[in-house]
Amino acid sequence: MFEKILIANRGEIAIRIIQTCKRMNIRTVAVYSDIDSRSRHVQEADEAFLLGGDRPEDSYLNKQKIIALALREHCQAIHPGYGFLSENPEFVRLVFEAGLTFIGPSASAVSLLGDKMASKKLALKAGLPVVPGLAEPLSDRKKMVEKAGEIGFPLLLKPAAGGGGKGMRIVQNPEELPAVLAVCQEETRKAFGDERIFLEKYIERPRHIEVQILADRFGRVIHLGERECSIQRRYQKIIEETPSPVLTPEERGRIGDWACALTREADYLNAGTVEFIMDPQGNFYFLEMNTRLQVEHPVTEWVTGLDLVEMQLLIAQGDPLPLEQEQVRCRGWAMEARICAEDPSRGFLPATGMITRYAVPKGKNIRLDSGIEAGSFISVFYDSLLAKVTAWGETREEARKTLIQALNGYHLEGVTTNLDFVNAVLTHPAFVSADLSTNFISDHFEGGHRNVPCDTETLHYMVIAATLVYHNRIRLVRESLKPMATHVGQTPPFAEWVAYKVKAEEDVVDIRIFKRPVAREWTVIVNEIQYQVKTPEFEFFRRRLRLKIDDQAPMFRLHYEGNFIGVAYNGESRTCEIYTLREWTLSPYMPKPKSEAALNELLCPMPGLVVSILVKPGDRIYRGQDLLSIESMKMETFVASPGDRVVEDILVKPGQPVETGQVLMTFKKEKSPGSKA
């Protein structure tokens, strides 16, 4: 048994590994960068050591520093987690050469399966179906155009190196191919130092389904069922579940056998995941094999009862797998949502900031894998993933509802997240009916908002929560004035029924509330629909509120915007303006619309570092043209021109850190048509 291991990672996955090591009495060594000095994984490890710097290349990607530290602190093994060096064959080789154990596969397996073309050939040899396309990647654009015509459109361009969606492009017709090829190669060169692209037939509206495998050094290979990972943005998953809601037992067995066959063909060791896409006709195609633990591994742990980190450790130290394939039992359904620091309303751009308030979801059959706490700072240097919330149920619907309630109770302030967005996905009718594909978000959401109206029950529940909070704040204020009653006169009591008009953004509703004789119980009528409500003791600025409404127990997150009350529930978020009937007739105060940015300025859409500037002063530019690129959270984003302009001045330079809203460049003010000289 290992006595001490180093964890070459950070955040929630480092904490996840630490938790299993504590249970197995294995001491842990954490590493951290300058900006991560107060992070949770640093606090929870037995020992922690500074690698220095903020950028990944100075810390979590510094192979030599990590290995030297592991040797100095007498570790026997290194666990890479996922991301960073987890799929770097050179790092794996250096670990073994240093006499340490890499908790994962061999360097040759990582190299073989990390090469998209080599892994595709291996899959064919193992009998797996693959997507039609080129056998080798190309860098010559003329040849690529020729081969594209042979494969047919639509076409998918994929970099030969790297992953995470970088460099991937869909081409719908031959006319747009040359321009897209140029952009794809440039992005791939910058991200991976490799211009080779391979072309394959684009499978439209596929499902993404993957199989978890385990393999020991004694030749035993087993699979632990599949995960449905079709809900994605920018080719990256945000909701995963197991089992897949569409597979038959025969299909499940078939892709499990395929995954094990590929694993054996690759002479693979430890945990891995074989990924497939499934077209609308039910045909499967091999996509790739990830040679590490997956972000979404908790859903598999829920249904199998296995600790995958423990399995990794046992395999790495030379133990045989503790079970055969026929002993794998999957029970119930598990569903996971990734909580990321990003803004869905702005194309999922990364967000940064300090977490000022933090309350975790609690309850039966809920699991939280989190790397954050109140006071955690979310920087531009690392991935946007903050936490994962996983729920289990006997059925898919039970797991879905449990996850929704968990997210309703997850309170996080100080940084923009996708929390309400993932809940909006979970409550979308198409998700409820399991009508899924990797196009789900583009099909059902626009600007971060779903394309179906808020259902009546959800709207009424939010209005009830906001109005009861408002009503009781008035009551608390009145009670605070009671000592002054002898001086200013008696405060009139509330009427038996109190009526309000509530403007919940585009919806306006009538609501009447009546305090029943029983403590904290109310009768509430919203647009003539009656509800029986039980409340907790009210506080003046409560941030989370659980009500009992008829036979339901919804949890709401509240925020306060001046005199208005914001409510988030089931993926919906509304700011409620609450008025008495008399106030409503007196032209109530309306918030001023936010002023638009000046037309002659280009504002920074997110915090990050300027990578490149593509124009110069005096250039005539056009709407949608890329002007510069910004790197944030390992992602390079191009900032486009807001219109047809002439560049006047560029206020930033490559390598410069920038913040959201900062002016990046200015444009010449052009005279409007018909104006005098």
Side-chain angles (χ1 to χ4, degrees), residues 4 21 28 33 70 114 141 192 204 207 239 276 298 377 387 440 462 465 470 557:
K4 190 177 187 180
C21 287
T28 54
S33 63
R141 293 182 192 173
F192 310 116
E204 298 189 86
R207 287 177 178 263
I239 293 176
F276 298 89
F377 181 73
F440 187 93
M462 289 194 293
Y470 177 84
R557 285 182 288 108

Side-chain angles (χ1 to χ4, degrees), residues 56-200:
E57 52 265 37
D58 298 326
S59 51
Y60 303 106
L61 290 176
N62 193 316
K63 307 177 191 72
Q64 288 74 23
K65 273 188 180 181
I66 290 171
I67 293 172
L69 179 61
L71 292 170
R72 191 190 78 191
E73 297 305 317
H74 307 292
C75 298
Q76 290 93 40
I78 294 178
H79 197 306
Y82 40 68
F84 293 127
L85 295 169
S86 63
E87 294 180 283
N88 186 301
E90 182 188 359
F91 179 64
V92 180
R93 179 180 57 79
L94 291 173
V95 169
F96 282 114
E97 288 178 355
L100 298 166
T101 298
F102 180 79
I103 302 172
S106 65
S108 59
V110 173
S111 179
L112 174 65
L113 293 164
D115 185 308
K116 290 180 172 58
M117 299 312 301
S119 64
K120 189 173 182 179
K121 291 178 182 177
L122 190 72
L124 283 168
K125 186 178 179 183
L128 279 66
V130 300
V131 178
L134 294 183
E136 299 289 345
L138 297 174
S139 57
D140 185 280
R141 293 182 192 173
K142 185 177 180 180
K143 287 185 179 179
M144 282 192 269
V145 171
E146 292 175 1
K147 293 295 182 182
E150 297 175 11
I151 298 169
F153 293 84
L155 196 68
L156 181 64
L157 311 184
K158 298 172 69 174
K166 289 186 177 179
M168 292 178 65
R169 292 290 189 279
I170 299 168
V171 184
Q172 295 292 344
N173 54 66
E175 290 72 28
E176 64 183 47
L177 180 60
V180 176
L181 268 176
V183 173
C184 183
Q185 281 193 296
E186 178 67 12
E187 186 174 346
T188 301
R189 182 186 61 78
K190 288 182 177 179
F192 310 116
D194 188 334
E195 291 188 347
R196 294 177 305 147
I197 303 293
F198 74 87
L199 315 179
E200 66 180 29

Side-chain angles (χ1 to χ4, degrees), residues 620-634:
R620 162 69 67 176
I621 58 175
Y622 303 93
R623 177 182 295 276
Q625 178 181 339
D626 290 334
L627 305 181
L628 52 79
S629 66
I630 297 172
E631 181 183 338
S632 183
M633 294 182 177
K634 302 193 294 183

Side-chain angles (χ1 to χ4, degrees), residues 233-234 342-350 447-448 606 635 637:
R233 76 328 179 219
R234 296 196 308 265
E342 61 187 22
D343 189 346
S345 68
R346 302 172 67 223
F348 301 97
L349 289 177
M606 63 181 179
M635 181 182 73
T637 299

